């Protein structure tokens, strides 16, 4: 939106009108504006059915409405809790309050909630609606305001009121009256600066309906009434309301003897003007007392002259907005309250707004009240029923992304909103769409803050009213006759809706032609918003807009040609026209002006070859979607030539089949299609252009027949042609046009007969003597037998049972049999397709075909011929399809089974056996069929488990499976085991007895008993006897001895003694040791492993240097590791003596080979390796046997006791190094733990004892200062985040939780912002730490004296209270990872468990939540973090 140009610029353009002329025209047409307002309501009623139907719900009515006195006597404190029937009616989120400077000026973003909400972007409304509002500066009035301030000390403007005149009040008590004519002359200057010095500034103005009286309210409380005709002072009222309060509002009602005023004390008074015996008087009556709740906005309902007889006007309704509720009262015939409506929780600094307007809803015109506060606008519809009672219904509310300071109706559908940063928003009420936004900071809007603070009388107002007044501008904005006037510090601006032509012209001036066309189309379709000046019925409005659109389109085309780049790449020119030409085409077709499109527009664009090409390409999508028919022959010809020149042949074909080609040269088009292989287009031209359906078939047959007859493979192009031919034949026989549409009904029978006659021709045209009979049928059968027969089957479905149709069917069947049966060049699959087709036709109930049954016998012989083994699966599949299609009735079943068995057609046998319910024989079919033998298991399982089969049938299948069990096991042991476990669990020993092959028996038992094989067997239900498990273990020792231990770990049902005997039998010492340990004989297991270790050591020392020494050393190491693990697992449960009995023999065994080596002999090649293994034994035993005992045992050895300590010097030094390392580790760990403990306690003490500084002095839920509720037994809760609450408010929001007998609190605002719906018992689960305990509690008892501190701490207890727990959690969150204390605690817990056992089952408990299992686990070597102060 931009300002109108200045006078000097307009003088250069004789066609332009000056601002004053426009204003004069609008000012002088007030009657027409009123008429327009009425027309607007009529139009709204007329098109109400097209609008969104608001969801309405009534505010509940009461039998006896409350009286005004009862309302006044209500407790209206800030803590009053309003209970709505529908709690979602006014659901406003709790918000922070912000303080503003008293001198609030425009565009100040600091501290404004609108700034935060402005991050939510709306789509650009200019491109959708253009410029909706026109705003202009009233230069004459503005200049005279500035002049009056300079010359007569009138002061700055403070208030404005508009009717037929414009009244401006000033800060020095003057009222300046201006005319609304072209000159904007000053008519009257009412009052004087001396009176202004006494009364103060004018704080409110009001003009009555006939523009004869002016009411002025002053900052010091006085009220004056002036005669606007003579300029005389009629009344000076000083006692209408309590002294010492400023007049905030003064409003005339529709009754010229009745006015309403509202003062800065929050009270509302009714002023009644009377004239008795020539004396003018004024009576005042209090309607609402400020002591019960301060009213800061009033709005009486004004009706236009044409609505003066409306039934609602007799009540003289008045809306009042206090700081907590909305009231609607009736002043006549007697004072009555019709509605009270609470706000709910609101930002205390937001400005309450009220505005009335008559709107059409549900085919009736009624007043609607808009009330706003903050970012919510609610609409209340007021209606009077037949009984005379008033009903108020809630309409759809408007939720904005900015805070409002003004709301103005400009008409019944459009509202203008002003936000807190002086940005104007034009909104369509019903769709809630934003039509336009504009900045008005240049106005320098006047604010009424000083009057709301009553600075002229000493500032004796409440803080709440003063806070609301920060952004109050009630008296700076006035609307009248569809115009809105804004009063600035040095100017007056007027705004009004542009007419529809003006909106389009505004876009055209800015060269936005595309946007102008879009806007015009929205006018044409009746979808535009805020439309002014477009009247008449629908057809007339559309005609007017269409004419204007045609003008714009011509201008658009001229500009497109003019702005085309003259030189450069052709792609640049194409892009230019691709951006412009489609717009012309779209709108011409939308307006249904093909004459314009293919006439003047096409001629104009044809001047440029590139534009012409783009124009033709734009037509393609409309032609393909059948939205464009009736193209002129010239354009059609140019279109085909253009696409042909650009080699877009596929596009040409797609276009031709959607066009009316009767006006083209058909022969030329056919030739072009054939040369370019556009077969679809060629068929379409033959069919539509010449009603010729056979010629396209002949052309296509000539191409595909020769290679098929010669036995050659078809090319891809020939395959495409053959497929098109089949589809074309199918379409013709079904009465459909190719490639789309339908054949005319009168031609359908003729086309079907022609196509049938063509297909069954004995010879083709121009046939050679060598041609076989029925060439067309033969060609199609060779090309695709199955699809051609499908085409015939579909055709037979559509046939009616008349004589000719029956003859055609029998004739074509006879030809098919003659062609395929008498020739050997068709495959079994092709022959099978034919007889499957015949079987389906013969199986129909209304079949009239006859086929010789001997032909089916011949086909059976042909398919089951044992002399030919080729294509076995293909023959079987063809015969199966034939039987399934109903051909089984053509055969003798016993003969069919014999031939199928002879030909090894097992699927055929299965099909026949299933018909006779011989399910046991089907098992043989599966077992003999190599392709399906593994499916036998699922088949047996389904028969035995799925209901529907008789007991005899299941028994026969069960017995058959038992008889073939060995064969089943050899086929797949795992599947056989699963089958046995499910259906033969009681016959397991019988099954085992049948399996003579030991390897086969081993595989079966492993699948049955070993759960690792993946077989789903329930061992508990199976109840395998132990001797079978032991039999499996014995087989396992034979065939897979290295898997015995792993298998024993998962097996359950075996006896230890018998199993030990088995493992001893096969000399599996490690397995025997495992079983002995499991039995509880750890010493026996140790002796066995020790013997094994000694034997391997002896073998290694005997070998000397040999290639097998590496293998022997590996065996020694493995046995030693197993022995060490055995000792470690059992040492924890033994006393010291028993431990030494385990460890010392092991040490002795490892040191014996080193003792045997003498110094004279060469050193053993693995001497160093043995020393390393011995050191490993010493390190392992050091955890269980004291170091002095180990040294004493070594020194007691006779060899080392005689001075040969040098040989074991390395072992002893290694033990000492280990001891030093562990001692250092212990000291370092203790030091780190002490440091962590000291740091944690210091910071915990600092956090607990630290004072808190609340961010505000009011509760963040009820928005009331905590001092206001001191009479209630309520505590104050302060959180570490700085938010403050009443404990009662927190409890109402369910922000408390009892944990271990203590009350835990959560900050409501922080937990809501974090989307925390429930309190967590662990405060550290919340990332921001806002689900915390209460920090400070303040009792109301502490408010009794001023000197007391504002808060008290809870008494400390021996255990951590919630505050200390929160502080400790915050310290824990300072660490970036797990603390050292947590790591060491977990290590100490794990050490005590049985984690060393390699055969132990999975452990539960803390290990699953281990810090070591986290992906981001890493040790941190940095010192502890520094806690913030």
């Amino acid at each position: 939106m931009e300002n109108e140009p200045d006078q000097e610029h307009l003088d250069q353009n004789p066609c332009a009108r000056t601002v004053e002329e426009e204003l004069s025209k609008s000012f002088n047409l007030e009657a027409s504006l009123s008429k327009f307002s009425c027309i607007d309501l009529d139009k709204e009623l007329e098109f109400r059915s097209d609008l969104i139907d608001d969801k309405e719900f009534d505010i509940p009515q009461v039998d006896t409405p409350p009286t005004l006195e009862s309302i006044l006597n209500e407790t209206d404190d800030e803590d009053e809790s309003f209970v709505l029937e529908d709690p979602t009616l006014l659901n406003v989120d709790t918000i922070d309050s912000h303080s503003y400077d008293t001198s609030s000026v425009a565009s100040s973003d600091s501290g404004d909630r609108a700034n935060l909400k402005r991050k939510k972007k709306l789509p650009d409304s200019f491109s959708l609606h253009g410029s909706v509002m026109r705003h202009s500066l009233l230069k004459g009035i503005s200049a005279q305001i500035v002049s009056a301030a300079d010359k007569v000390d009138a002061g700055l403007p403070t208030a404005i009121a508009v009717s037929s005149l414009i009244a401006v009040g000033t800060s020095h008590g003057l009222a300046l009256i201006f005319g609304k004519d072209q000159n904007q002359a000053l008519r009257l200057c009412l009052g004087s600066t001396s009176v202004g010095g006494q009364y103060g500034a004018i704080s409110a103005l009001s003009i009555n309906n006939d523009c004869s009286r002016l009411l002025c309210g002053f900052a010091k409380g006085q009220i004056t009434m002036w005669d606007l005709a003579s300029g005389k002072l009629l009344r000076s009222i000083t006692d209408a309301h309590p002294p010492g309060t400023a007049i905030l509002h003064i409003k005339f009602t529709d009754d010229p003897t009745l006015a309403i005023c509202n003062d800065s004390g929050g009270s509302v008074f009714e002023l009644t003007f009377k004239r008795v015996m020539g004396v003018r008087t004024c009576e005042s009556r209090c309607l609402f007392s400020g002591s019960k709740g301060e009213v800061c906005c009033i709005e009486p309902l004004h009706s236009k002259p044409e609505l003066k007889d409306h039934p609602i006007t007799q009540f003289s309704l008045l809306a009042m907005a206090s700081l907590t509720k909305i009231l609607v009262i009736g002043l006549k015939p007697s004072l009555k309250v019709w509605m009270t409506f609470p706000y709910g929780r609101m930002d205390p600094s937001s400005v309450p707004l009220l505005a009335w307007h008559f709107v059409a809803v549900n085919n009736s015109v009624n007043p609607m009240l808009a009330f706003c506060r903050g970012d919510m606008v609610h609409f209340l519809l007021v209606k009077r029923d037949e009984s005379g009672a008033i009903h108020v219904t809630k309409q759809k509310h408007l939720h904005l992304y900015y805070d409002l300071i003004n709301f103005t109706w400009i008409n019944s559908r459009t509202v203008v909103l002003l936000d807190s940063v002086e940005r104007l928003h034009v909104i369509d009420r019903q769709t809630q769409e934003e039509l336009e936004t504009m900045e008005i900071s240049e106005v320098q809007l006047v604010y009424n803050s000083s009057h709301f603070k009553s600075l002229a009388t000493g500032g004796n107002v409440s803080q709440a009213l003063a806070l609301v007044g920060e952004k109050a501008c009630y008296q700076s904005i006035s609307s009248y006759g569809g115009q809105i006037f804004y009063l600035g510090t040095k100017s007056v601006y007027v705004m009004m809706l542009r007419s529809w032509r003006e909106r389009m012209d505004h876009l055209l001036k800015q060269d936005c032609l595309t946007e102008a066309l879009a806007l015009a189309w929205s006018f044409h379709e009746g979808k535009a918003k805020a439309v002014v000046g477009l009247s008449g019925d629908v057809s007339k409005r559309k005609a007017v807009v269409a004419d204007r659109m045609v003008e714009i389109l011509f201008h658009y085309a001229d500009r497109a040609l003019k702005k085309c780049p003259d030189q450069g790449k052709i792609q640049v020119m194409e892009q230019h026209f691709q951006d412009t030409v489609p717009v012309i085409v779209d709108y011409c077709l939308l307006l249904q002006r093909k004459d314009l499109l293919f006439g003047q527009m096409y001629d104009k664009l044809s001047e440029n070859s590139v534009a012409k090409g783009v124009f033709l390409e734009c037509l393609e999508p409309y032609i393909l979607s059948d939205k464009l028919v009736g193209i002129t022959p010239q354009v059609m010809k140019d279109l085909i030539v253009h696409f042909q020149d650009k080699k877009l042949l596929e596009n040409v074909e797609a276009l031709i089949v959607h066009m009316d080609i009767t006006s083209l040269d058909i022969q030329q088009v056919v030739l072009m299609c054939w040369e370019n292989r556009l077969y679809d287009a060629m068929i379409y031209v033959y069919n539509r252009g010449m009603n010729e359906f056979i010629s396209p078939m002949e052309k296509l047959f000539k191409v595909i027949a020769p290679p098929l007859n010669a036995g050659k493979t078809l090319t891809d192009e020939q395959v495409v042609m053959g497929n098109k031919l089949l589809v074309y034949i199918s379409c013709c026989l079904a009465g459909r046009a190719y490639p789309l549409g339908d054949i005319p009904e009168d031609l359908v029978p003729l086309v079907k007969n022609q196509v049938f006659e063509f297909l069954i021709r004995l010879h083709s045209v121009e046939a050679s003597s060598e041609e076989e009979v029925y060439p067309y049928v033969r060609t199609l059968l060779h090309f695709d037998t199955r699809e051609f027969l499908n085409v015939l089957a579909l055709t037979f479905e559509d046939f009616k049972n008349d004589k000719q149709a029956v003859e055609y069917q029998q004739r074509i069947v006879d030809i098919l049999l003659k062609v395929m049966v008498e020739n050997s060049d068709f495959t079994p699959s092709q022959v099978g397709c034919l007889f499957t087709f015949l079987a389906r036709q013969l199986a129909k109930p209304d079949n009239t075909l006859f086929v010789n049954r001997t032909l089916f016998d011949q086909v059976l012989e042909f398919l089951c011929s044992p002399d030919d083994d080729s294509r076995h699966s293909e023959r079987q599949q063809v015969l199966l399809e034939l039987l399934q299609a109903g051909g089984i009735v053509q055969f003798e079943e016993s003969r069919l089974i014999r031939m199928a068995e002879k030909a090894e057609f097992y699927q055929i046998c299965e099909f026949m056996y299933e018909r006779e319910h011989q399910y046991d024989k089907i098992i043989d079919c599966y077992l003999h069929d190599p392709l399906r033998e593994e499916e036998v298991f699922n088949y047996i399982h389904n028969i035995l488990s799925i209901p529907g089969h008789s007991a005899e049938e299941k028994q026969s299948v069960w017995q058959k499976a038992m008889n073939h069990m060995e064969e089943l096991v050899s086929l797949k042991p795992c599947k056989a085991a699963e089958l046995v476990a499910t259906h033969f669990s009681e016959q397991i020993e019988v099954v085992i007895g049948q399996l003579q092959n030991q390897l086969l028996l081993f595989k079966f038992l492993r699948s049955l008993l070993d759960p690792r094989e993946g077989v789903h067997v329930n061992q508990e239900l199976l109840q395998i006897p132990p001797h079978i498990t032991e039999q499996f273990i014995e087989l396992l020792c034979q065939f897979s001895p290295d898997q015995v231990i792993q298998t024993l770990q998962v097996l359950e049902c075996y006896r230890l003694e018998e199993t030990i005997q088995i493992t001893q039998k096969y000399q599996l010492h490690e397995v025997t040791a495992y079983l002995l340990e499991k039995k509880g004989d750890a010493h026996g297991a140790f002796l066995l492993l020790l013997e094994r270790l000694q034997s391997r050591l002896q073998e290694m020392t005997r070998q000397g240097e040999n290639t097998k020494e590496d293998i022997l050393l590996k065996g020694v190491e493995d046995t030693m590791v197993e022995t060490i693990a055995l000792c470690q697992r059992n040492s924890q449960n033994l006393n010291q003596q028993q431990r030494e009995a385990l460890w010392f023999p092991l040490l002795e065994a490892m040191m014996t080979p080193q003792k045997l080596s003498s110094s004279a002999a060469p050193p053993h090649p693995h001497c160093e390796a043995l020393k390393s293994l011995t050191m490993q034994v010493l390190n392992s035993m050091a955890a269980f046997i004291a170091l002095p005992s180990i040294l004493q045992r070594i020194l007691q050895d006779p060899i080392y006791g005689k001075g040969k300590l040098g040989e074991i010097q390395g072992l002893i030094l290694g033990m000492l190094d280990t001891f030093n390392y562990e001692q250092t580790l212990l000291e370092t760990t203790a030091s780190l733990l002490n440091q962590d403990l000291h740091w944690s306690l210091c910071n915990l003490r600092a956090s607990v004892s630290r004072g808190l500084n609340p961010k505000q002095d009011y509760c963040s839920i009820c928005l009331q200062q905590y001092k206001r509720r001191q009479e209630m037994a309520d505590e104050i809760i302060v959180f570490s985040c700085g938010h403050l609450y009443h404990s009662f408010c927190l409890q109402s929001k369910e922000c408390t939780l009892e944990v271990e007998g203590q009350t835990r609190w959560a900050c409501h605002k922080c937990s809501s912002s974090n989307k925390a719906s429930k309190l967590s018992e662990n405060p550290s689960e919340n990332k921001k730490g806002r689900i915390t305990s209460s920090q400070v509690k303040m009792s109301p008892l502490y408010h009794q004296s001023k000197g007391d501190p504002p808060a008290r701490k809870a008494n400390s207890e021996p255990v951590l209270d919630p505050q200390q727990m929160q502080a400790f959690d915050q310290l824990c969150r300072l660490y970036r990872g797990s603390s050292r204390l947590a790591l060491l605690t977990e290590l100490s817990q794990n050490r005590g468990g049985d984690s060393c056992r390699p055969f132990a089952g999975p452990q539960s408990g803390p290990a699953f939540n281990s810090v070591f299992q986290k992906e981001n686990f890493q040790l941190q070597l940095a010192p502890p973090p520094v806690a913030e102060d």
Side-chain angles (χ1 to χ4, degrees), residues 19 148 158 260 336 347 420 561 770 853 1004 1136 1318 1387:
V19 177
T158 57
I260 310 295
K336 190 172 186 179
D347 183 351
S420 54
L561 293 170
E770 299 176 355
R853 188 165 181 174
F1004 171 73
Q1136 187 65 27
K1318 291 185 179 180
L1387 287 173

Side-chain angles (χ1 to χ4, degrees), residues 1027-1127:
H1027 71 273
I1028 293 180
T1029 308
E1030 292 155 10
Q1031 183 180 5
F1032 165 58
I1033 294 173
E1034 186 169 0
L1035 292 171
L1036 189 65
C1037 293
Q1038 295 179 37
F1039 295 107
S1040 186
D1042 55 334
Q1043 298 290 325
V1044 177
I1045 289 183
Q1046 289 84 350
T1047 307
L1048 288 175
Q1049 292 170 12
V1050 297
L1051 291 180
E1052 296 177 359
C1053 300
Y1054 61 89
R1055 297 166 292 186
L1056 286 175
E1057 291 294 342
E1058 287 75 1
T1059 309
I1060 290 173
Q1061 292 176 11
I1062 293 172
T1063 56
Q1064 288 175 344
K1065 174 183 175 182
Y1066 292 97
Q1067 298 182 356
L1068 299 178
H1069 302 294
E1070 289 83 356
V1071 183
T1072 307
Y1074 166 76
L1075 293 171
L1076 287 172
E1077 183 184 3
K1078 188 172 183 180
K1079 181 182 175 184
D1081 187 5
H1083 193 71
F1086 171 74
L1087 292 177
L1088 198 60
L1089 289 177
L1090 183 63
E1091 181 183 356
R1092 180 69 172 163
L1093 177 63
Q1094 290 172 343
S1095 65
R1096 289 194 172 183
L1097 285 170
Q1098 291 174 4
E1099 186 179 359
M1100 187 177 70
T1101 55
R1102 285 198 307 267
Q1103 287 293 332
E1105 294 195 13
N1106 196 303
T1107 55
K1108 294 184 179 181
E1109 287 188 0
D1110 290 337
I1111 301 175
L1112 293 172
L1113 180 61
K1114 183 70 170 60
V1116 168
E1117 185 176 359
D1118 292 342
T1119 307
M1120 188 202 72
V1121 169
E1122 291 180 13
T1123 310
I1124 290 175
L1126 173 69
C1127 295

